[in-house]
């Protein structure tokens, strides 16, 4: 049985008539709460698994929760092995693989969908009354083309709508519902939210027959029926009917309150608006519409819904025949666009391919008092997807033969994406929060990618100048006005994925809803010309929206060729240009061209058309990754100067979620304090009652601390970097070198020392305000020092300064058996004014040069994601920093033992659920490969730039003959990994009892060619340095 994913359509093997859509899986990483979910559970489910579900809000491994296709939500728990996969929901822009262990992935560029429909009602032979309720398999209509269908509801929550020059997303829909009661009377109920729906008794009986029991009280059978659809059977309170508006007949207290919905009228929309604007106007746009649009406005036709299933009339390319039905799925209520034509097409006979079509029995309005109840339930879907793979090939695949590639590697690219060569970038830090701008001068379009070798073929632009601002979250990074891609050349190169970056600001995804911009021109901060005719208020807004400028053009209806235009849009055949208003400004990205051009489908036009444009002419207003409208404060007007750029320094400002980490230890040289909840200072009785001079703080025994570690620390197996809380899947990083016990070297520098003189000038916190520490705080710092003296794990060195005891600098040697082995990791700490009530400030020195994080918990902007540091919300009380029970040592032990681990990929938030799953193994290996290559660069940086305050430690670790000779080990092991044979001298140096030379070839980790490109560069530098 294949692993199931959210939105998969499945049938119970024991009762195939029960279909459900997966809404929660055991491997979900979003930590969605299951606590309030009412769910049917099989009686045979062991109590321990039920406890896991209801007490821990975690599904047992191998289990999913499904929402039954049919009436209002009924959920049931089932094992994956009990289910048959019917269809997999795919949308344009989704990334998929054929097999979990495949390196190559592909992008969905279009889908076709056939449906099985269940009529709600069918005609009967009698001449009076409602048609009979449909429900048997014989009534179903099979093999219906989704292009023949439309949604029953005109408006739904989440729809993108436009009104005048504004665009927004529907938050709520207000309905007016008409019921036909059993006595033939028709009433518009007072409150449609009071309508209830009961699941069919046959469905309940089927669930009970196969061993399911209700996870809720019987009174909860009745669910809110809203949003309603015509043909739906509902019930309500008598008062809701009595106070309603009677269309036919009148209220009778003896009549049943059960009725059939015969009409649903939208009388209002609540919309979250965001400005789009008529960009040719020199005056600001109309005032913001009311959050609730009334029925008169709706029926005026001024409010339009974006429909991504509409296609251009004239299509010249086969790919354009592939539409996308990502929003059309099982469980939705639909109608035929042309009921009369559908009655002819779906007449119960087979089509030309021999497929049985089923018969559409149209219910005439004369039997329903003029109302149209020909609404059908989408019972099943069958999706076929058109996939563009990373090697640029295109295939057609059944959706069930593909698997979603959910946890995409950060460095993956696909054909048509625009990338920047990182070594040619210039960077400038523009604010204290770490915001930066990047000037990209070498920009190209990915033509294809060798996913296994991590190599991309890139076609380059000439004269490119793209200014990327990242003082907003990275996934919302924007291009500064005046950026340009230049002209596309025939120059192509093979590039390692470590050498290039596909910034979100340079790319749009298929399925993104975007806003097209006019071609402006005024002088920007970079001295580029941008037209003054575009009002300043527009650019203020577009800045907040994430906008830039450039040009776009329109394919003609007769040809796929395009013509360059300036100003207004114009067709190649000379026909009238479009008016640049909101209708022809909003579209969906449907293709990424190999020439760097986007194809945008303008779905709001009466006649849908495609336009081609450059990426810097569009603003994403709704990403295909989520359901939110891009929103920023329209009052902001950032006037930063972007003229100057510097080559060094990189800071990312988009911390992603990371795994909260905590551990509990006891200390040698200091007893653990009691846990009575008192958050006072950690002091002994003597310390608390006697005054202390700062000079006393220097009277610390600085003896060697390389003795035996406390049992609790040894028990954590810190040398191997093991995480005792997570059982890994056996694909951890394999070390090919000998173990190193730094504590066994008598010549080793002291692991803890207080240095004379001024602190390191590059210490993160040295330039900030010096905290005004009290005597109690100094005592606590003294206690911290004593603990660090006696209990530091092997390979951890700590320095502080006589002149600034509030500062710490820590160097950690990456543990063997992890991709971080032998690399230096530098962290700065400060004991601030609020210490120890609040954890000390910490900063990680990331030396990745903008390539990406070396670990899920260690960010490029210096953030360390740890519950103890308060940078991640603790899920348990003992995971938080406690002034009595926590210490700096505890933080360091957590970093060594729980952050720098053999499989760091699983440290991402929620990813522990993926341990052992097929789809995560390849991504985990790719992550570890990148971590290894990046951490080799840490060795280079430490030697090249030096580490102030740790000069003796670095020299002893990597260079001194009396030390472990880690530089020689790094070079020798890198040579083995790159396939270079070691010299006799290197072999002798590396052996020392446990040789890296002579390791079985099968035991040597295989690196991709893209990783080897970067590793060879680092290796060459290290070799030259060593000589």
């Amino acid at each position: 049985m294949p692993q199931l994913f959210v939105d998969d359509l499945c049938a119970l093997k024991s009762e195939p008539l029960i279909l459900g859509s997966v809404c929660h899986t055991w491997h979900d990483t979003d930590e969605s709460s299951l606590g309030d979910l009412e769910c049917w559970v099989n009686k045979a489910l062991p109590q321990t698994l039920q406890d896991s579900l209801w007490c821990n809000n975690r599904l047992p491994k191998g289990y999913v929760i499904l929402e039954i296709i049919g009436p209002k939500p009924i959920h049931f728990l089932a094992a994956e092995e009990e289910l048959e996969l019917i269809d997999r929901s795919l949308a344009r822009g989704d990334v998929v693989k054929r097999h979990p262990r495949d390196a190559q992935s592909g992008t969905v560029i279009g889908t076709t969908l056939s449906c099985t429909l269940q009529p709600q009602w069918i005609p009967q032979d009698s001449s009076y009354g409602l048609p009979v309720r449909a429900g048997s398999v014989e009534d179903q209509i099979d093999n219906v083309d989704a292009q023949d269908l439309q949604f029953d509801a005109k408006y739904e929550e989440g729809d993108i709508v436009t009104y005048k020059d504004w665009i927004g997303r529907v938050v709520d829909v207000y309905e007016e519902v008409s019921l036909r009661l059993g006595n033939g009377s028709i009433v518009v109920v007072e409150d449609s939210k009071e309508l209830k729906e009961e699941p069919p008794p046959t469905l309940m009986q089927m669930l009970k027959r196969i061993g399911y029991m209700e996870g809720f009280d019987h009174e909860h059978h009745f669910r809110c029926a809203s949003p309603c659809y015509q043909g739906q059977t509902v019930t309500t309170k008598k008062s809701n009917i009595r106070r309603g508006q009677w269309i036919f007949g009148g209220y009778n207290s003896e009549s049943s309150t059960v009725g059939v919905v015969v009409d649903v009228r939208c009388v209002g929309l609540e919309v979250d608006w965001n400005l789009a604007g008529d960009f040719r106007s020199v005056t600001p746009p109309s005032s913001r519409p009311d959050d609730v649009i009334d029925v008169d406005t709706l029926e005026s036709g001024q409010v339009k819904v974006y429909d991504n299933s509409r296609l251009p009339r004239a299509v010249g390319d086969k790919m354009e025949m592939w539409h996308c039905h990502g929003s059309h799925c099982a469980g939705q209520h639909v109608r035929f666009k042309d009921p009369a034509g559908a009655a002819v097409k779906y007449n119960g006979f087979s089509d030309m391919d021999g497929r049985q079509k089923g018969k559409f029995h149209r219910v005439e309005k004369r039997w329903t008092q003029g109302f149209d109840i020909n609404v059908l339930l989408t019972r099943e879907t069958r999706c076929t997807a058109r996939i563009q793979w990373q090697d640029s090939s295109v295939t057609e695949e059944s959706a069930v033969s593909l698997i979603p590639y959910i946890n995409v590697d950060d460095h993956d690219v696909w054909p048509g994406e625009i990338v920047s060569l990182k070594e040619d970038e210039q960077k400038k830090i523009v604010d204290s929060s770490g915001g930066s701008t990047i000037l990209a001068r070498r920009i190209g379009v990915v033509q294809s990618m060798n996913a296994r070798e991590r190599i991309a073929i890139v076609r380059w632009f000439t004269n490119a100048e793209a200014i990327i601002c990242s003082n907003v979250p990275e996934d919302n990074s924007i291009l500064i006005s005046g950026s340009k891609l230049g002209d596309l050349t025939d120059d192509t190169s093979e590039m390692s994925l470590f050498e290039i970056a596909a910034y979100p600001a340079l790319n749009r995804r298929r399925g993104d809803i975007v806003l097209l911009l006019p071609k402006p021109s005024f002088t920007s901060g970079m001295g580029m010309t941008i037209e003054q005719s575009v009002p300043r208020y527009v650019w203020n807004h577009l800045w907040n929206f994430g906008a830039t400028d450039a040009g776009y053009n329109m394919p003609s209806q007769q040809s796929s060729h395009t013509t360059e235009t300036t100003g207004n849009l114009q067709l190649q055949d000379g026909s009238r240009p479009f008016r640049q208003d909101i209708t022809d400004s909003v579209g969906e990205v449907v293709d990424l061209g190999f020439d760097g051009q986007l194809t945008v489908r303008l779905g709001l036009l009466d006649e849908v058309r495609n336009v081609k444009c450059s990426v810097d002419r569009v603003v994403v207003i709704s990403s295909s990754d989520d359901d939110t409208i891009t929103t920023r404060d329209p009052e902001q007007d950032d006037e930063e100067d972007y003229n100057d750029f510097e080559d060094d320094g990189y800071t990312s400002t988009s911390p992603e979620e990371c795994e909260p980490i905590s551990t509990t230890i006891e200390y040698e040289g200091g007893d653990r304090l009691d846990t009575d909840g008192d958050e006072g200072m950690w002091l002994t009785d003597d310390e608390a009652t006697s005054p202390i001079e700062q000079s006393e703080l220097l009277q610390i025994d600085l003896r060697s601390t390389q003795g035996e570690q406390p049992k609790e620390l040894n028990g954590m197996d810190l040398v191997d970097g093991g995480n005792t809380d997570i059982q890994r899947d056996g694909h951890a990083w394999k070390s090919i070198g000998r173990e190193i016990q730094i504590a066994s070297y008598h010549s080793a520098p002291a692991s803890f020392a207080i240095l004379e003189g001024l602190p390191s000038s590059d210490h993160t916190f040295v330039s900030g305000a010096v905290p005004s520490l009290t005597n109690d705080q100094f005592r606590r710092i003294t206690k911290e020092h004593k603990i660090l003296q006696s209990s530091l794990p092997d390979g951890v060195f700590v320095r502080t300064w006589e002149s600034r005891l509030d500062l710490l600098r820590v160097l950690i040697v990456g543990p063997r058996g992890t991709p971080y082995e032998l690399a230096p990791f530098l962290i700065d700490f400060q004991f601030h004014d609020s210490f120890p009530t609040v954890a000390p400030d910490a900063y990680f020195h990331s030396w990745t040069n903008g390539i990406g994080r070396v670990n899920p918990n260690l960010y490029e902007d210096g953030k360390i994601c740890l519950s103890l540091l308060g940078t991640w919300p603790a899920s348990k009380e003992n995971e938080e920093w406690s002034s009595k029970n926590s210490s700096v040592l505890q933080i360091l032990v957590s970093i060594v033992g729980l952050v720098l681990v053999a499989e760091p990929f699983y440290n991402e938030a929620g990813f522990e659920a993926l341990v052992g799953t097929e789809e995560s193994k390849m991504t985990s290996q790719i992550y570890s490969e990148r971590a290894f290559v990046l951490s080799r660069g840490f060795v280079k940086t430490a030697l090249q730039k030096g580490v102030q305050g740790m000069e003796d430690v670095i020299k002893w670790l990597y260079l001194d003959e009396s030390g472990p000779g880690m530089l020689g080990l790094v070079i020798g092991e890198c040579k083995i990994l790159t396939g270079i044979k070691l010299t006799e001298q290197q072999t002798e140096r590396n052996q020392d009892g446990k040789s890296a030379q002579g390791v079985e070839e099968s035991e040597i980790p295989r690196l991709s060619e893209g990783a080897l490109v970067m590793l060879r560069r680092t290796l060459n530098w290290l070799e030259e340095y060593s000589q």
Side-chain angles (χ1 to χ4, degrees), residues 895-909:
I895 293 172
V896 173
L898 304 177
V899 174
L900 302 178
V901 294
E903 294 178 271
F905 172 76
Y906 297 110
N907 276 9
E908 289 282 2

PDB file of all heavy atoms in Angstrom, residues 895-909:
ATOM      1  N   ILE A 895      23.382  21.815  22.246  1.00  0.00           N
ATOM      2  CA  ILE A 895      23.900  22.078  20.897  1.00  0.00           C
ATOM      3  C   ILE A 895      24.763  20.917  20.424  1.00  0.00           C
ATOM      4  O   ILE A 895      24.632  20.439  19.291  1.00  0.00           O
ATOM      5  CB  ILE A 895      24.679  23.406  20.876  1.00  0.00           C
ATOM      6  CG1 ILE A 895      23.719  24.577  21.122  1.00  0.00           C
ATOM      7  CG2 ILE A 895      25.412  23.586  19.550  1.00  0.00           C
ATOM      8  CD1 ILE A 895      24.398  25.905  21.316  1.00  0.00           C
ATOM      9  N   VAL A 896      25.652  20.434  21.294  1.00  0.00           N
ATOM     10  CA  VAL A 896      26.552  19.348  20.908  1.00  0.00           C
ATOM     11  C   VAL A 896      25.778  18.055  20.670  1.00  0.00           C
ATOM     12  O   VAL A 896      25.989  17.349  19.682  1.00  0.00           O
ATOM     13  CB  VAL A 896      27.634  19.136  21.984  1.00  0.00           C
ATOM     14  CG1 VAL A 896      28.462  17.887  21.668  1.00  0.00           C
ATOM     15  CG2 VAL A 896      28.535  20.356  22.084  1.00  0.00           C
ATOM     16  N   GLY A 897      24.873  17.736  21.578  1.00  0.00           N
ATOM     17  CA  GLY A 897      24.237  16.436  21.527  1.00  0.00           C
ATOM     18  C   GLY A 897      22.943  16.367  20.752  1.00  0.00           C
ATOM     19  O   GLY A 897      22.557  15.294  20.292  1.00  0.00           O
ATOM     20  N   LEU A 898      22.259  17.518  20.591  1.00  0.00           N
ATOM     21  CA  LEU A 898      20.938  17.482  19.986  1.00  0.00           C
ATOM     22  C   LEU A 898      20.800  18.347  18.739  1.00  0.00           C
ATOM     23  O   LEU A 898      19.800  18.240  18.025  1.00  0.00           O
ATOM     24  CB  LEU A 898      19.885  17.925  21.011  1.00  0.00           C
ATOM     25  CG  LEU A 898      19.856  17.131  22.321  1.00  0.00           C
ATOM     26  CD1 LEU A 898      18.827  17.712  23.268  1.00  0.00           C
ATOM     27  CD2 LEU A 898      19.563  15.666  22.051  1.00  0.00           C
ATOM     28  N   VAL A 899      21.783  19.172  18.461  1.00  0.00           N
ATOM     29  CA  VAL A 899      21.761  19.994  17.254  1.00  0.00           C
ATOM     30  C   VAL A 899      22.739  19.450  16.218  1.00  0.00           C
ATOM     31  O   VAL A 899      22.374  19.181  15.070  1.00  0.00           O
ATOM     32  CB  VAL A 899      22.077  21.474  17.574  1.00  0.00           C
ATOM     33  CG1 VAL A 899      22.207  22.284  16.296  1.00  0.00           C
ATOM     34  CG2 VAL A 899      20.997  22.061  18.461  1.00  0.00           C
ATOM     35  N   LEU A 900      23.984  19.267  16.618  1.00  0.00           N
ATOM     36  CA  LEU A 900      25.017  18.780  15.691  1.00  0.00           C
ATOM     37  C   LEU A 900      24.953  17.255  15.630  1.00  0.00           C
ATOM     38  O   LEU A 900      25.827  16.547  16.128  1.00  0.00           O
ATOM     39  CB  LEU A 900      26.394  19.257  16.144  1.00  0.00           C
ATOM     40  CG  LEU A 900      26.546  20.782  16.267  1.00  0.00           C
ATOM     41  CD1 LEU A 900      27.937  21.150  16.777  1.00  0.00           C
ATOM     42  CD2 LEU A 900      26.284  21.457  14.911  1.00  0.00           C
ATOM     43  N   VAL A 901      23.913  16.747  14.967  1.00  0.00           N
ATOM     44  CA  VAL A 901      23.610  15.320  14.972  1.00  0.00           C
ATOM     45  C   VAL A 901      23.909  14.710  13.611  1.00  0.00           C
ATOM     46  O   VAL A 901      24.208  15.397  12.633  1.00  0.00           O
ATOM     47  CB  VAL A 901      22.139  15.082  15.355  1.00  0.00           C
ATOM     48  CG1 VAL A 901      21.883  15.490  16.785  1.00  0.00           C
ATOM     49  CG2 VAL A 901      21.205  15.828  14.405  1.00  0.00           C
ATOM     50  N   ALA A 902      23.788  13.384  13.560  1.00  0.00           N
ATOM     51  CA  ALA A 902      24.140  12.647  12.351  1.00  0.00           C
ATOM     52  C   ALA A 902      23.139  12.878  11.222  1.00  0.00           C
ATOM     53  O   ALA A 902      23.493  12.795  10.045  1.00  0.00           O
ATOM     54  CB  ALA A 902      24.236  11.151  12.668  1.00  0.00           C
ATOM     55  N   GLU A 903      21.890  13.160  11.544  1.00  0.00           N
ATOM     56  CA  GLU A 903      20.867  13.394  10.526  1.00  0.00           C
ATOM     57  C   GLU A 903      20.129  14.698  10.848  1.00  0.00           C
ATOM     58  O   GLU A 903      19.000  14.697  11.334  1.00  0.00           O
ATOM     59  CB  GLU A 903      19.880  12.225  10.481  1.00  0.00           C
ATOM     60  CG  GLU A 903      20.521  10.936  10.002  1.00  0.00           C
ATOM     61  CD  GLU A 903      19.532   9.790  10.024  1.00  0.00           C
ATOM     62  OE1 GLU A 903      19.445   9.135  11.089  1.00  0.00           O
ATOM     63  OE2 GLU A 903      18.843   9.573   9.014  1.00  0.00           O
ATOM     64  N   PRO A 904      20.746  15.820  10.562  1.00  0.00           N
ATOM     65  CA  PRO A 904      20.173  17.109  10.981  1.00  0.00           C
ATOM     66  C   PRO A 904      18.853  17.441  10.307  1.00  0.00           C
ATOM     67  O   PRO A 904      18.084  18.246  10.834  1.00  0.00           O
ATOM     68  CB  PRO A 904      21.259  18.116  10.590  1.00  0.00           C
ATOM     69  CG  PRO A 904      22.070  17.430   9.534  1.00  0.00           C
ATOM     70  CD  PRO A 904      22.053  15.985   9.889  1.00  0.00           C
ATOM     71  N   PHE A 905      18.556  16.860   9.168  1.00  0.00           N
ATOM     72  CA  PHE A 905      17.304  17.150   8.469  1.00  0.00           C
ATOM     73  C   PHE A 905      16.095  16.975   9.379  1.00  0.00           C
ATOM     74  O   PHE A 905      15.142  17.749   9.330  1.00  0.00           O
ATOM     75  CB  PHE A 905      17.184  16.236   7.245  1.00  0.00           C
ATOM     76  CG  PHE A 905      15.849  16.305   6.552  1.00  0.00           C
ATOM     77  CD1 PHE A 905      15.523  17.374   5.737  1.00  0.00           C
ATOM     78  CD2 PHE A 905      14.919  15.294   6.724  1.00  0.00           C
ATOM     79  CE1 PHE A 905      14.291  17.439   5.092  1.00  0.00           C
ATOM     80  CE2 PHE A 905      13.685  15.340   6.083  1.00  0.00           C
ATOM     81  CZ  PHE A 905      13.374  16.411   5.266  1.00  0.00           C
ATOM     82  N   TYR A 906      16.143  15.951  10.248  1.00  0.00           N
ATOM     83  CA  TYR A 906      14.998  15.643  11.092  1.00  0.00           C
ATOM     84  C   TYR A 906      14.862  16.590  12.279  1.00  0.00           C
ATOM     85  O   TYR A 906      13.950  16.434  13.091  1.00  0.00           O
ATOM     86  CB  TYR A 906      15.079  14.195  11.574  1.00  0.00           C
ATOM     87  CG  TYR A 906      15.010  13.204  10.436  1.00  0.00           C
ATOM     88  CD1 TYR A 906      16.123  12.465  10.070  1.00  0.00           C
ATOM     89  CD2 TYR A 906      13.835  13.051   9.709  1.00  0.00           C
ATOM     90  CE1 TYR A 906      16.057  11.564   9.009  1.00  0.00           C
ATOM     91  CE2 TYR A 906      13.770  12.155   8.649  1.00  0.00           C
ATOM     92  CZ  TYR A 906      14.884  11.419   8.302  1.00  0.00           C
ATOM     93  OH  TYR A 906      14.823  10.530   7.247  1.00  0.00           O
ATOM     94  N   ASN A 907      15.771  17.579  12.391  1.00  0.00           N
ATOM     95  CA  ASN A 907      15.627  18.596  13.427  1.00  0.00           C
ATOM     96  C   ASN A 907      14.626  19.679  13.034  1.00  0.00           C
ATOM     97  O   ASN A 907      14.258  20.516  13.862  1.00  0.00           O
ATOM     98  CB  ASN A 907      16.972  19.262  13.729  1.00  0.00           C
ATOM     99  CG  ASN A 907      17.787  18.461  14.735  1.00  0.00           C
ATOM    100  OD1 ASN A 907      17.434  17.339  15.076  1.00  0.00           O
ATOM    101  ND2 ASN A 907      18.885  19.023  15.196  1.00  0.00           N
ATOM    102  N   GLU A 908      14.184  19.687  11.774  1.00  0.00           N
ATOM    103  CA  GLU A 908      13.144  20.631  11.378  1.00  0.00           C
ATOM    104  C   GLU A 908      11.882  20.368  12.188  1.00  0.00           C
ATOM    105  O   GLU A 908      11.600  19.229  12.577  1.00  0.00           O
ATOM    106  CB  GLU A 908      12.832  20.493   9.884  1.00  0.00           C
ATOM    107  CG  GLU A 908      13.920  21.010   8.960  1.00  0.00           C
ATOM    108  CD  GLU A 908      13.935  22.526   8.842  1.00  0.00           C
ATOM    109  OE1 GLU A 908      13.108  23.181   9.513  1.00  0.00           O
ATOM    110  OE2 GLU A 908      14.776  23.046   8.087  1.00  0.00           O
ATOM    111  N   ALA A 909      11.119  21.428  12.432  1.00  0.00           N
ATOM    112  CA  ALA A 909       9.920  21.314  13.262  1.00  0.00           C
ATOM    113  C   ALA A 909       8.964  20.270  12.700  1.00  0.00           C
ATOM    114  O   ALA A 909       8.577  20.327  11.540  1.00  0.00           O
ATOM    115  CB  ALA A 909       9.217  22.662  13.347  1.00  0.00           C
TER     116      ALA A 909
END
